Amino acid sequence: MTDQELLALVQAKTPDELSLEEIGLLRLRLAESSELREALFGQMQMEAYLAEAGYANGFDLTVLSRTNDLTKKSAIFMTDQLSKIGVKAEVKVLEDA
């Protein structure tokens, strides 16, 4: 796997979701790739912050969005990113008045 593929893997999965093969590939590249180290460290740091705040198992969140495409896509992206650190977020689209 290339570094870009490994970076996408780190961004798509939580550490618990990685297979043994994927972990092995990451270990081979971590020493040489500062980008991979930063991505993994960032994800683990966010999980530690949640645990420190009393949310080690995550929490539920509703993200409110308007009906326009950009706002909806941004809300969906945000919920996807939050899910990677254990926050269970859903998007609720509000109709414009």
Side-chain angles (χ1 to χ4, degrees):
M1 284 185 140
T2 67
D3 282 358
Q4 290 303 318
E5 290 171 326
L6 288 171
L7 187 58
L9 179 70
V10 166
Q11 292 171 339
K13 293 185 175 184
T14 65
D16 291 339
E17 295 172 333
L18 295 171
S19 70
L20 291 176
E21 180 183 355
E22 292 165 338
I23 292 169
L25 292 169
L26 284 167
R27 283 184 178 161
L28 291 173
R29 293 296 308 142
L30 278 176
E32 297 175 24
S33 176
S34 62
E35 193 174 14
L36 279 174
R37 284 193 305 275
E38 288 174 23
L40 277 174
F41 178 74
Q43 189 175 40
M44 291 171 14
Q45 191 174 27
M46 296 279 54
E47 291 173 359
Y49 288 149
L50 282 172
E52 186 178 311
Y55 297 102
N57 296 321
F59 59 91
D60 295 340
L61 174 73
T62 300
V63 177
L64 303 177
S65 171
R66 293 288 180 195
T67 57
N68 71 64
D69 282 343
L70 179 60
T71 305
K72 282 194 292 188
K73 287 179 183 178
S74 296
I76 291 168
F77 174 78
M78 185 171 32
T79 59
D80 180 56
Q81 295 300 305
L82 289 168
S83 73
K84 294 174 186 172
I85 60 167
V87 177
K88 297 166 198 80
E90 68 171 321
V91 176
K92 181 176 179 181
V93 178
L94 302 175
E95 296 296 324
D96 293 327

